Amino acid sequence: MRILVIGSGGREHALAWAIAKSPRCEKLFVMPGNGGTETIAENVAVDITDHAAVVAFAKANGVDFVVIGPDAPAVAGLGDDVRAAGLLCFGPSRAAAQLEGSKAFTKQLCDEAGVPTAAYGRFDSEIEALAYVHDQGAPIVIKADGLAAGKGVTVAMTMEEAADAVRDCFSGAFGESGSTVVIEEYLEGEEASIFALCDGTSIKMLPSAQDHKRVWDGDRGPNTGGMGAYSPAPVMTPEMTARVENEIILPSIRRMAERGTPFTGVLFAGIMVTRDGPKLIEYNVRFGDPECQVLMLRLQSDALDLLEATARGTLAEVTPEFSDEVALTVVYAAKGYPVNPEKGSEIKGVDGLDGDKLKVFHAGTARRDGRLVANGGRVLNITALGATVAEARERAYDAIDRIDWPEGFCRRDIGWRAIERELKRT
Ligand code: AMP
Ligand code: GLY
């Protein structure tokens, strides 16, 4: 099979790496790809926002299967355009991608399907939004409605912060995304990332993971796309996982099908495990980044079989298998991330680190004249397996300490929640 992966992040390197291991993978393209994908696939410099150009490349190069990695092309309807051209595609339709593209859409779906989530109000007017904040009090959560690169959410602990966030949204800080605002009840608990492959009717639950959104140790500083992750998330006990499947994922999938917008691809539920049980924080219509990296390192089944069955509607026939080991990934970012990462610095000592239980996935890297250079905010994902979170973490940080990149930084406490639990048990 000839496969085209869309995207350029660590998630796409991990997907491409897993797909490339399949004996059925004859030829692999990544568009646009990065300095890691080019060592296992052919990087293609086509603008992925130009759907006609993507389809033309796929047709001209005999591509059988297109795998969409990131949210933006999914929300923009690349899946529809690829399928309209008669190609098989892993990724949702534009209509189903509203689950990520519009927070108001997801809230409405939760109401219709009886999915537990934070109480909320939806506002198109600043005055009404401020009045609602005033009535509800802090802490409270303010969200710009559309995609805002993970920056449209303010968890406001005080009334002042909440009012400022509302004003920011309506003053255009997030462009069109802020013209509708969702204001939510503050949920207290521990977060987990839950993934399910969905072919429109059937689902297959994948292992859980836990992300680290804040940029600095101790979960401080601004939100990022994610600074590290591990899988499984110990907070997701078998009982809690079953509740998420039955109370959140399945009713949502059923309701999407009833609406005439069945969801296909991977549904990523951001869950808060509260005292009253699991509640949905948000849906994404793609793998998490960096959660995908830990899932792919643990995956033992053929990734191509799973993605293809999802796209073809034959998920009921496959069984995803994962290693019992823990996987943990640390994001090595360029100094200045998430605000203003420096690009262009050289990174030495990466090639040759990979081993049985260690894999470096590239995100914002490029190769120039044989040198590996930083080309984005999140640059490398050092990903390790271990019998425990502590062991996987030690392996990952050992590898990081062998990389020579003075312009990079990483959190030093990835996995702290799980390690605290492990210490309590011993
Ligand atoms: P989102 O972009 O919706 O995932 O929000 C980003 C982060 O804000 C989440 O990962 C949570 O840590 C936090 N968050 C979002 N909604 C809530 C909520 N209702 N209560 C508490 N924290 C929230
Ligand atoms: N790591 C969180 C996300 O991909 O949205």
Side-chain angles (χ1 to χ4, degrees):
M1 207 176 204
R2 296 170 69 84
I3 301 130
L4 168 62
V5 173
I6 304 289
S8 62
R11 164 181 50 212
E12 287 75 28
H13 187 195
L15 285 172
W17 172 79
I19 291 169
K21 287 195 287 186
S22 169
R24 292 192 304 117
C25 174
E26 272 168 55
K27 173 78 191 173
L28 183 59
F29 300 99
V30 185
M31 183 185 283
N34 60 37
T37 60
E38 76 172 46
T39 64
I40 53 166
E42 185 176 331
N43 282 356
V44 180
V46 165
D47 174 7
I48 62 171
T49 65
D50 183 348
H51 296 186
V54 175
V55 168
F57 173 87
K59 291 241 157 191
N61 289 277
V63 168
D64 307 293
F65 186 29
V66 177
V67 176
I68 299 178
D71 48 333
V75 172
L78 180 61
D80 297 313
D81 292 330
V82 166
R83 280 184 281 261
L87 297 169
L88 189 65
C89 182
F90 177 88
S93 66
R94 186 205 309 258
Q98 287 182 88
L99 283 173
E100 176 158 7
S102 166
K103 294 189 190 297
F105 175 89
T106 296
K107 283 300 202 181
Q108 171 82 30
L109 186 95
C110 288
D111 285 349
E112 292 169 9
V115 168
T117 183
Y120 75 106
R122 178 183 185 277
F123 304 93
D124 301 313
S125 126
E126 180 173 324
I127 292 175
E128 285 169 26
L130 287 172
Y132 185 80
V133 166
H134 192 79
D135 282 352
Q136 301 293 316
I140 194 162
V141 182
I142 317 294
K143 302 186 173 185
D145 182 53
L147 290 185
K151 300 187 186 97
V153 175
T154 304
V155 179
M157 301 314 284
T158 65
M159 292 297 276
E160 290 71 30
E161 268 180 89
D164 286 347
V166 168
R167 284 190 210 102
D168 277 354
C169 286
F170 285 104
S171 70
F174 308 110
E176 270 298 294
S177 290
S179 56
T180 299
V181 172
V182 168
I183 303 183
E184 280 186 7
E185 167 200 3
Y186 171 74
L187 297 176
E188 215 167 339
E190 189 170 334
E191 284 185 69
S193 302
I194 305 298
F195 300 90
L197 295 175
C198 311
D199 68 1
T201 45
S202 299
I203 73 163
K204 293 282 162 150
M205 296 288 284
L206 301 179
S208 60
Q210 202 162 49
D211 190 12
H212 299 64
K213 293 217 157 126
R214 303 300 185 108
V215 71
W216 295 318
D217 285 20
D219 292 333
R220 289 174 304 112
N223 262 329
T224 68
M227 294 301 291
Y230 56 90
S231 170
V235 66
M236 292 308 299
T237 57
E239 186 228 339
M240 200 53 74
T241 305
R243 287 191 65 179
V244 170
E245 179 173 1
N246 293 317
E247 296 170 25
I248 296 180
I249 309 272
L250 281 170
S252 302
I253 290 296
R254 272 189 224 115
R255 183 70 202 128
M256 287 299 281
E258 283 163 13
R259 290 182 75 257
T261 55
F263 181 83
T264 67
V266 60
L267 187 62
F268 164 5
I271 298 291
M272 188 73 84
V273 179
T274 73
R275 226 180 292 160
D276 309 327
K279 293 195 179 181
L280 181 73
I281 298 174
E282 62 163 357
Y283 276 132
N284 298 300
V285 299
R286 49 168 176 88
F287 281 106
D289 186 344
E291 289 96 323
C292 185
Q293 289 81 312
V294 286
L295 292 188
M296 290 305 121
L297 200 64
R298 289 185 63 207
L299 180 65
Q300 292 185 320
S301 322
D302 183 307
L304 183 54
D305 287 352
L306 295 181
L307 299 175
E308 190 187 351
T310 307
R312 284 201 195 281
T314 55
L315 250 189
E317 295 165 21
V318 296
T319 308
E321 310 249 9
F322 287 84
S323 154
D324 289 336
E325 283 189 295
V326 171
L328 178 143
T329 189
V330 179
V331 171
Y332 213 174
K335 282 184 184 162
Y337 176 76
V339 181
N340 192 15
E342 292 167 33
K343 288 192 185 174
S345 54
E346 184 172 4
I347 309 163
K348 292 186 194 148
V350 173
D351 294 331
L353 281 180
D354 287 3
D356 233 12
K357 293 189 185 292
L358 189 102
K359 177 71 203 162
V360 180
F361 293 116
H362 291 228
T365 67
R367 287 179 199 270
R368 294 203 186 114
D369 311 319
R371 294 178 316 138
L372 187 67
V373 298
N375 191 36
R378 293 189 293 172
V379 173
L380 295 170
N381 307 136
I382 292 74
T383 313
L385 288 170
T388 59
V389 179
E391 190 185 308
R393 168 156 100 169
E394 198 178 327
R395 193 166 275 135
Y397 283 118
D398 274 354
I400 285 185
D401 291 338
R402 278 181 273 147
I403 296 174
D404 176 11
W405 184 33
E407 294 82 2
F409 78 99
C410 64
R411 276 181 62 162
R412 285 277 162 187
D413 65 344
I414 298 304
W416 68 267
R417 265 200 188 79
I419 288 171
E420 255 176 26
R421 274 195 175 83
E422 283 175 356
L423 288 176
K424 268 188 213 144
R425 250 184 278 137
T426 53

